[in-house]
């Protein structure tokens, strides 16, 4: 789909502005920046898919570092250098964005394939889902306790107490607010 949109944009670049303007200068400028814009957005889409996969893997630190480095250390300086000193204008800005997103995409792919094992990640995801379900069950119980009258602040206080609890991963407690001990330990490796 990304390749199809890129190809369509590049193929029709001389006609993209015609629905909006008959001015030959506008048509020429749009045709000139069509390739960097199509490249930039195509690579942005691919980088976003990688970042979503990393988010599903609970690799938030990696996403944050990639976003900061690629945006502030690569995209902005390269885009500025190409737009102003190199006199590429908007095409330079979009080329800088494309370069930053290309690096984000490539590093994201490496982190996905060289990261944690898929089995460990799926077990961790099931564990986190079970914890969320336990929290929601407790929250629903707290809300239904006093559902016959208006909240005088006690329901809110009780809900905050329940949702504010920390659940240990290796809990052996039989309390319904603790995760079953069968999950064992899981250590996230985000470096």
């Amino acid at each position: 789909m990304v390749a199809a949109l890129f190809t369509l944009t590049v193929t029709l670049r001389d006609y993209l502005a015609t629905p909006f303007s008959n001015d030959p200068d506008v048509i020429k400028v749009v045709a000139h920046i069509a390739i960097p814009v199509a490249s930039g957005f195509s690579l942005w889409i691919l980088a976003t898919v990688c970042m979503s996969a990393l988010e599903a893997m609970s690799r938030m630190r990696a996403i944050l570092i990639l976003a900061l480095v690629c945006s502030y250390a690569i995209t902005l300086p390269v885009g500025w250098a190409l737009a102003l000193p190199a006199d590429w204008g908007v095409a330079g800005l979009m080329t800088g964005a494309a370069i930053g997103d290309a690096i984000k995409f490539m590093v994201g792919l490496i982190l996905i394939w060289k990261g944690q094992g898929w089995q460990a990640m799926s077990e961790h995801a099931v564990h986190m889902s079970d914890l969320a379900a336990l929290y929601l069950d407790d929250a629903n119980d707290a809300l239904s306790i006093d559902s016959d009258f208006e909240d005088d602040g006690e329901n809110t206080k009780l809900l905050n107490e329940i949702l504010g609890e920390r659940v240990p991963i290796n809990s052996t407690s039989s309390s319904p607010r603790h995760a079953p001990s069968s999950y064992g330990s899981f250590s996230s490796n985000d470096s």
Side-chain angles (χ1 to χ4, degrees):
M1 183 62 140
V2 173
L5 289 173
F6 175 82
T7 304
L8 187 64
T9 302
V10 171
T11 304
L12 299 175
R13 69 179 176 257
D14 294 325
Y15 307 101
L16 291 174
T18 55
F20 308 103
S21 176
N22 292 330
D23 184 355
D25 290 335
V26 172
I27 293 170
K28 182 180 174 184
V29 168
V30 170
H32 175 70
I33 66 169
I35 292 174
V37 168
S39 300
F41 281 111
S42 297
L43 289 164
W44 175 74
I45 290 168
L46 295 172
T48 301
V49 169
C50 282
M51 296 307 104
S52 296
L54 287 170
E55 183 179 358
M57 295 166 60
S58 297
R59 304 289 303 269
M60 300 310 292
R61 187 178 328 148
I63 295 169
L64 176 66
I65 292 168
L66 271 174
L68 289 173
V69 169
C70 289
S71 296
Y72 295 108
I74 298 169
T75 297
L76 285 177
V78 172
W80 176 84
L82 293 175
L84 298 178
D87 200 28
W88 285 17
V90 175
L93 289 175
M94 290 309 298
T95 302
I99 291 169
D101 284 331
I103 292 170
K104 191 186 307 182
F105 170 63
M106 290 185 289
V107 172
L109 277 180
I110 291 168
L111 290 174
I112 290 168
W113 294 113
K114 297 289 183 180
Q116 302 168 352
W118 290 102
Q119 183 65 32
M121 286 183 290
S122 64
E123 289 172 3
H124 180 65
V126 168
H127 172 70
M128 296 308 290
S129 294
D130 288 346
L131 288 178
L134 289 172
Y135 281 135
L136 289 175
D137 286 346
D138 286 346
N140 287 334
D141 291 346
L143 290 175
S144 65
I145 291 172
D146 294 327
S147 62
D148 295 338
F149 56 89
E150 285 189 35
D151 185 11
D152 58 359
E154 289 300 313
N155 284 341
T156 303
K157 182 179 175 185
L158 181 60
L159 183 59
N160 286 335
E161 287 175 16
I162 291 170
L163 294 178
E165 288 183 11
R166 298 289 181 224
V167 179
I169 291 177
N170 288 327
S171 172
T172 56
S173 170
S174 60
S175 169
R177 291 186 184 158
H178 295 285
S181 60
S182 62
Y183 286 111
S185 63
F186 180 84
S187 64
S188 176
N189 182 6
D190 242 5
S191 53

